[in-house]
């Protein structure tokens, strides 16, 4: 463990940031899984779930949790599933 006050504070902030980032990334994954499940069973609310998943992906990209190209690739794959 760090002995210097600023290093201790930085370690505490890193723990908090890790929790927030993990929560946000988990929410994104959950939204994508819900969309995939709805597409697989042929649900009526696929379009609504697509919008929620896209929004979650955009939020994760904005916060720097995923890169821009990954966000674009994920949204493209979701849109392709709707088109089928």
């Amino acid at each position: 463990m760090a002995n210097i006050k600023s290093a201790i504070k930085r370690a505490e902030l890193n723990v908090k940031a890790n929790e927030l980032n993990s929560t946000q990334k988990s929410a994104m994954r959950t939204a994508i899984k819900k969309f995939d499940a709805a597409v697989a069973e042929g649900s009526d609310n696929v379009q609504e779930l697509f919008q929620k998943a896209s929004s979650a992906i955009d939020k994760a990209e904005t916060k720097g949790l995923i890169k821009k190209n990954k966000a674009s690739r994920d949204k493209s794959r979701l849109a392709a599933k709707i088109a089928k």
Side-chain angles (χ1 to χ4, degrees), residues 10-24 65:
R10 176 50 56 193
E12 291 171 356
L13 289 175
N14 285 341
V15 169
K16 288 181 184 177
N18 187 348
E19 288 176 9
L20 293 173
N21 290 341
S22 297
T23 303
Q24 185 72 35
L65 302 179

Side-chain angles (χ1 to χ4, degrees), residues 3 7 15 28 35 39 47 50 53 55 65 71 75 78 83:
N3 292 326
V15 169
M28 179 192 75
F35 171 80
V39 169
Q47 193 64 34
F50 172 73
S55 176
L65 302 179
K75 289 195 297 184
L78 295 180

Side-chain angles (χ1 to χ4, degrees), residues 11-57:
E12 291 171 356
L13 289 175
N14 285 341
V15 169
K16 288 181 184 177
N18 187 348
E19 288 176 9
L20 293 173
N21 290 341
S22 297
T23 303
Q24 185 72 35
K25 208 165 186 179
S26 176
M28 179 192 75
R29 289 190 195 115
T30 302
I32 292 171
K33 286 178 185 177
K34 284 183 180 179
F35 171 80
D36 286 338
V39 169
E41 67 184 32
S43 228
D44 293 335
N45 61 347
V46 172
Q47 193 64 34
E48 177 186 335
L49 291 173
F50 172 73
Q51 289 175 345
K52 286 184 181 180
S54 292
S55 176
I57 291 170

